[in-house]
Amino acid sequence: IFIMKLLVILLFPGLITSCGGDSSYGLPPKLLLVSFDGFRADYLKNYDFPHLQNFIKEGVLVEHIKNVFITKTFPNHYSIVTGLYEESHGIVANSMYDEATKKHFSESNDKDPFWWNGAVPIWVTNELQENRSSAAAMWPGTDVSIHNTTPSYFMNYSHSVSFEERLSNITAWLSKSNPPVTFATLYWEEPDASGHKYGPEDKENMSRVLKEIDDLIGDLVQKLKMLGLWENLNVIITSDHGMTQCSEKRLIKLDPCIDHSNYSVIDLSPVAAILPKINVTEAYDRLKNCSPHMHVYLKEDIPNRFYYQHNNRIQPIILVAEEGWTIVLNASSSKLGDHGYDNSLPSMHPFLAAHGPAFHKGYKHSTISIVDIYPMMCHILGLKPHPNNGTFGHTKCLLVDQWCLKLPEAIGIVVGSLLALTILTGLIIIMQNRLSTTRPFSRLQLQDDDDDPLIG
Ligand SMILES: *[C@@H]1O[C@H](CO)[C@@H](O)[C@H](O)[C@H]1NC(C)=O
Ligand SMILES: *[C@@H]1O[C@H](CO)[C@@H](O)[C@H](O)[C@H]1NC(C)=O
Ligand SMILES: *[C@@H]1O[C@H](CO)[C@@H](O)[C@H](O)[C@H]1NC(C)=O
Ligand SMILES: *[C@@H]1O[C@H](CO)[C@@H](O)[C@H](O)[C@H]1NC(C)=O
Ligand SMILES: *[C@@H]1O[C@H](CO)[C@@H](O)[C@H](O)[C@H]1NC(C)=O
Ligand SMILES: *[C@@H]1O[C@H](CO)[C@@H](O)[C@H](O)[C@H]1NC(C)=O
Ligand SMILES: *[C@@H]1O[C@H](CO)[C@@H](O)[C@H](O)[C@H]1NC(C)=O
Ligand SMILES: *[C@@H]1O[C@H](CO)[C@@H](O)[C@H](O)[C@H]1NC(C)=O
Ligand SMILES: [Zn+2]
C-alpha cells in the first residue's frame, strides 16, 4: 500500500498540489484586492515606480487589462468582483435611472441594494463560506447590503479617510479576526482625481501624483512585512480604467441640436444616456448629425462588442464621444482628463500586478480582460464562481498551480523539435551512407534506380 501511495504521488503530483493551492498547510488562502482608481496602463512605462516595480519583480504583471464599456468607476469595479459585463451585473453607469421604479442612482446615492442585487460580488460568496469572512477598506458596493450581506468588516464610503487609516484598518482585520478574513479590498481615489484635474499629459503634476501613489505602495508592502502577512497573503494591485487628455477646444454641444425640454439627461459625458420625452426616432434624428465627433446609437443598435444593451437601465439613446471629446449642453467644461470612452482604446485600460504564494515570480503577460480577474480570484480562494463572462484559462499563466504553455516556451518546443528532427534525419543519412560504403555495389544500384523514371 505504501508503494502504491508513493506511485500515486510520483505520477500525479498535480492532483495533490491543486487541492492545497497554498504553500502553508492548513491555513486557508487569503487575498487582498487593491484598486488605485484611474491608473492608466502606460503610466507604468512613462513614469518611475520603484516600489511597484519591486513588487512586480517578485510577482506577475499584466500590462493591459481590457476593461468593460462604459469605462467608468462603479461599473468596472463591479465587473472586477463579479466577472460580469455591465449589462449583466446592472451597474451600467455612475448615474442611472430605472424607469419602472423611478429610482435614481448616483455616486452619492448608491446604497439601495436594488441596484446591486443583479449579481453576487465575491466578498458575499466568501462571507457565506464556513469559517471565513470578508473585509473592505472601501470599494464600490462594499458598504451596501447586497443579497442581505455586507462584509463582516467594512467602512462607509468617505473620501476624507486617509490611505494610512484604510491600510491600517484593513491589515488589522486581515491579521486578527476570527473567523479569519480571507478576502479583503482596499480602494484609493488617486490617480483618478488628479488625472481629471491636470490631464494625463501634464507630466510635471502627474509625476508628483504618481510618485505619491508609488510611496503608498511602498507603505503597503512594508506594513504587510511588518505584520508577517507578506509571505502568505496574495495581493492584487489593479485599477478600473485609464484616463485621456481633454480640452476646452473639444466640446460637443447638444443644445444647438435638440431642445433641452425634449429629453432627460441621465448621464452626460463621455457617454450620454438620453431618455427622450418626445418620439424616440425624432430625438434620434435631431441628435444623429449633431457632431462628427460622437456616435449616436439607438439602444437596439449599440455594437455587440460593447456588451451594453440588454438591461432596462440602459436608456433608449446613447451618445459616445470620440476619444478626448466632452459632451456638454451649452456651457464649457473644466475637465482636462476623462474616461468612460470606448473600451478598445488603450488609454482606457488599467494594468494588474500580483504577488503572493498563488502567483509566479517575475512573469509578464500582455493582456487579459477585466472579467477574467473574478474566476482567477475564486480559484485562489477555492470558491465556486457564479456564472460569469470571464475565462479562467486566460489567467493560468499567472498561477503557480496551473500548467500553461507560455509563448517563448511554445516557440522553444517547436524549434527544439525541428532541431531534433533535423539531427535525427542527419543521423539517418549518415548511417545510410556508412551502410552504403560497406556495401560496394549499393551506390551503383541506387543510381540505376534513379535513372529508371527517365527511361520510363
Ligand atoms: C470551522 O472551525 C471549527 C472550529 O475551529 C472547526 O471545528 C470546523 O471543522 C471548521 N469548519 C470547516 C469547514 O473548516
Ligand atoms: C454606516 O452608516 C450607517 C448609516 O449612516 C450606520 O448605521 C452604520 O453603522 C455605518 N457602518 C459602519 C461600519 O460604519
Ligand atoms: C479604523 O480603526 C480605528 C481603530 O479601531 C477606528 O477608531 C476607526 O474608526 C477606523 N476607521 C474607519 C474609517 O473605520
Ligand atoms: C502643475 O504644476 C505646476 C508646477 O509644478 C504648477 O505651477 C501648476 O499650478 C500645476 N497645475 C495646476 C492645475 O495645479
Ligand atoms: C420639444 O422642443 C420643441 C422645440 O424644438 C418644443 O416646441 C416642444 O414643446 C418640445 N416638446 C416637449 C415634449 O417638450
Ligand atoms: C415616431 O415617429 C415615427 C416617424 O417619425 C413614426 O413612424 C413612429 O410611429 C413614431 N413612434 C411613436 C411611438 O409615436
Ligand atoms: C444652458 O443650459 C441650461 C440648462 O438647459 C440653462 O439653464 C442655461 O440657461 C443655458 N445657458 C446658456 C448660456 O444658454
Ligand atoms: C455573461 O454571463 C451571464 C451569466 O452567465 C450570461 O447570462 C450572459 O449571457 C453572458 N454574456 C455574454 C455576452 O455571453
Ligand atoms: Zn474610476
Side-chain angles (χ1 to χ4, degrees), residues 181-374:
V181 168
T182 50
F183 177 78
T185 64
L186 172 59
Y187 168 80
W188 185 239
E189 288 81 356
E190 289 283 15
D192 180 73
S194 296
H196 284 299
K197 189 171 160 196
Y198 303 122
E201 286 168 13
D202 183 342
K203 281 245 168 184
E204 227 175 350
N205 290 299
M206 286 314 289
S207 61
R208 173 173 50 79
V209 170
L210 294 173
K211 187 190 176 304
E212 284 165 15
I213 300 285
D214 189 59
D215 288 342
L216 297 179
I217 292 171
D219 294 347
L220 166 72
V221 172
Q222 197 194 8
K223 185 106 192 175
L224 294 175
K225 285 182 174 166
M226 210 177 70
L227 293 170
L229 290 167
W230 178 245
E231 293 302 330
N232 291 320
L233 180 65
N234 295 293
V235 181
I236 293 175
I237 299 177
T238 187
S239 184
D240 51 350
H241 53 73
M243 188 66 68
T244 197
Q245 190 68 30
C246 295
S247 165
E248 288 285 337
K249 295 184 184 123
R250 293 194 292 268
L251 298 181
I252 298 163
K253 299 189 178 183
L254 299 185
D255 278 0
C257 304
I258 181 169
D259 193 288
H260 192 228
S261 65
N262 284 188
Y263 66 101
S264 305
V265 189
I266 309 302
D267 201 4
L268 190 55
S269 192
V271 178
I274 303 290
L275 176 57
K277 291 176 181 165
I278 56 170
N279 181 317
V280 173
T281 321
E282 222 172 285
Y284 172 78
D285 286 341
R286 290 186 201 178
L287 285 163
K288 74 178 176 197
N289 296 318
C290 190
S291 164
H293 301 291
M294 78 179 177
H295 288 282
V296 180
Y297 298 112
L298 284 169
K299 182 173 179 175
E300 55 270 29
D301 298 330
I302 297 172
N304 289 332
R305 68 186 178 88
F306 287 147
Y307 303 111
Y308 194 79
Q309 186 174 55
H310 305 291
N311 196 293
N312 291 337
R313 300 168 190 174
I314 296 168
Q315 301 302 328
I317 298 174
I318 68 164
L319 319 175
V320 183
E322 194 177 288
E323 183 177 14
W325 287 77
T326 303
I327 301 174
V328 296
L329 298 178
N330 55 21
S332 58
S333 154
S334 61
K335 274 185 188 176
L336 285 177
D338 209 358
H339 55 87
Y341 301 93
D342 190 333
N343 61 328
S344 65
L345 294 166
S347 62
M348 291 299 106
H349 297 167
F351 76 108
L352 180 146
H355 178 281
F359 298 100
H360 281 297
K361 295 203 185 300
Y363 176 67
K364 259 187 201 172
H365 198 80
S366 68
T367 180
I368 62 170
S369 292
I370 208 162
V371 292
D372 296 332
I373 300 174
Y374 171 77

Side-chain angles (χ1 to χ4, degrees), residues 38-99:
F39 196 126
R40 173 170 154 163
D42 68 1
Y43 286 162
L44 259 182
K45 291 205 171 105
N46 299 329
Y47 297 90
D48 285 335
F49 291 93
H51 292 113
L52 180 53
Q53 293 297 356
N54 275 338
F55 179 95
I56 290 166
K57 224 177 280 165
E58 293 290 303
V60 297
L61 170 68
V62 182
E63 290 171 317
H64 276 263
I65 300 289
K66 181 168 183 198
N67 49 355
V68 288
F69 184 81
I70 63 176
T71 53
K72 288 280 193 182
T73 299
F74 274 62
N76 275 280
H77 275 102
Y78 212 40
S79 288
I80 293 174
V81 296
T82 62
L84 292 167
Y85 298 125
E86 295 174 25
E87 64 177 8
S88 291
H89 66 51
I91 305 293
V92 303
N94 291 348
S95 298
M96 297 186 279
Y97 173 68
D98 184 71
E99 179 102 78

